[in-house]
Amino acid sequence: MDSDMHDHDRGLAFDVSTLVERRRALKLMAGAGLAVLVGCGSSSKSPTVASTPSSSSASSSASSATSTTAAGSPAAATNVAQIPEETAGPYPGDGSNGPNVLTESGIVRSDIRSSFGSSSTVAKGVPLTVKLKVVDSASGAAKAGSAVYLWHCNIDGAYSLYSQGVTNENYLRGVQEADGNGEVSFTSIFPGAYSGRWPHIHFEVYPSLAEATKAGTTIATSQLALPKDSCDLVYATDGYSQSIRNLAQTSLATDMVFRDGAALETPTVTGSVASGFAASLAVGV
């Protein structure tokens, strides 16, 4: 893997300075028990959450933030925490740093394992379905009609459109419009671990599909922290051998994004290597 990949999320000065200022602000407010939102790169992680959910059981506020009535209409929920604002990193593919895949025909799709357009290469890896439920953090109501752009690295820790060897690929990137329950689902593969970062998945939330496909204004940008027990199972399989070493060299406590708390960003993960995994999280916006 090229050296640029090893410096992911640390090579851009604005990302680092934003994260440092955010964590300094959170430390100052921790004694008051408040979560602070500081600017566009700030975090609203709740200091009252003591631990990170495992893949078999996540925080009830994250996995069950909303409910539906028997008729299927969204029901009100309480204590829906706003998803922490995180950096999109240097490989967003949303036009903010080079390539813009959001305006391309074919980006709106549920299965993001293959490239579209001039390539049909399929990303290899253990199957992973990512299910997000977008919720209004104030009222608990589902954000029907919102849109989610989701992307992550491949089995080797490389990002399509950017990394050496996959600049002509656009796999593992896609947009979905939330249904009446605020839910989106992506069929993908479990991302590898690369040097310097905890295994994660990026996503942006837009107010509408039209806004997403014109690379417009986001209402949230964040990341999913994948649980260690799931990572251990996946990385023991063929193709992920380098991820074992990279995972061992970092932790949630030292990761530059998740070290101030990852409970609100850790999905519930179920399944197995044989049948594939499913990661689910309620996203308050």
Side-chain angles (χ1 to χ4, degrees):
M1 191 185 311
D2 59 304
S3 60
D4 289 341
M5 184 60 53
H6 293 171
D7 288 333
H8 170 60
D9 285 354
R10 295 188 293 179
L12 295 182
F14 76 89
D15 281 344
V16 175
S17 61
T18 297
L19 289 168
V20 169
E21 289 303 318
R22 182 182 68 202
R23 283 158 175 79
R24 181 180 296 117
L26 286 174
K27 288 179 180 178
L28 290 174
M29 297 299 293
L34 300 175
V36 181
L37 182 65
V38 185
C40 64
S42 63
S43 171
S44 57
K45 298 176 183 178
S46 171
T48 63
V49 180
S51 60
T52 299
S54 67
S55 65
S56 59
S57 61
S59 167
S60 60
S61 64
S63 63
S64 305
T66 61
S67 59
T68 58
T69 65
S73 60
T78 58
N79 301 321
V80 179
Q82 188 171 15
I83 193 73
E85 190 77 4
E86 305 290 10
T87 174
Y91 311 126
D94 60 2
S96 62
N97 186 31
N100 187 352
V101 74
L102 292 177
T103 58
E104 295 184 14
S105 175
I107 189 60
V108 181
R109 62 210 183 121
S110 178
D111 191 334
I112 62 175
R113 291 174 295 182
S114 66
S115 289
F116 60 90
S118 61
S119 175
S120 59
T121 302
V122 178
K124 298 178 181 179
V126 172
L128 173 67
T129 300
V130 182
K131 300 178 180 181
L132 303 180
K133 185 179 184 72
V134 185
V135 179
D136 186 301
S137 60
S139 67
K143 295 283 286 184
S146 59
V148 175
Y149 167 43
L150 182 143
W151 74 98
H152 61 80
C153 69
N154 65 12
I155 193 172
D156 299 316
Y159 282 85
S160 66
L161 300 177
Y162 294 91
S163 302
Q164 183 177 3
V166 292
T167 55
N168 294 325
E169 306 293 347
N170 53 26
Y171 55 46
L172 306 182
R173 299 176 184 272
V175 173
Q176 276 285 287
E177 182 178 25
D179 63 17
N181 292 319
E183 298 174 349
V184 297
S185 178
F186 295 91
T187 300
S188 192
I189 59 98
F190 205 100
Y194 53 84
S195 180
R197 281 301 317 276
W198 186 260
H200 61 281
I201 294 173
H202 293 269
F203 66 94
E204 295 174 338
V205 182
Y206 290 82
S208 66
L209 183 63
E211 195 71 14
T213 53
K214 72 175 184 180
T217 302
T218 63
I219 55 178
T221 300
S222 197
Q223 300 181 25
L224 302 179
L226 296 173
K228 185 178 186 302
D229 53 357
S230 299
C231 293
D232 288 338
L233 290 173
V234 172
Y235 296 163
T237 65
D238 291 342
Y240 286 96
S241 58
Q242 66 180 5
S243 291
I244 298 175
R245 179 183 65 254
N246 291 332
L247 182 65
Q249 294 174 346
T250 188
S251 68
L252 284 170
T254 60
D255 184 79
M256 66 172 293
V257 170
F258 301 125
R259 63 190 175 196
D260 58 349
L264 298 178
E265 298 162 289
T266 302
T268 299
V269 179
T270 58
S272 66
V273 169
S275 62
F277 291 88
S280 303
L281 184 71
V283 177
V285 297

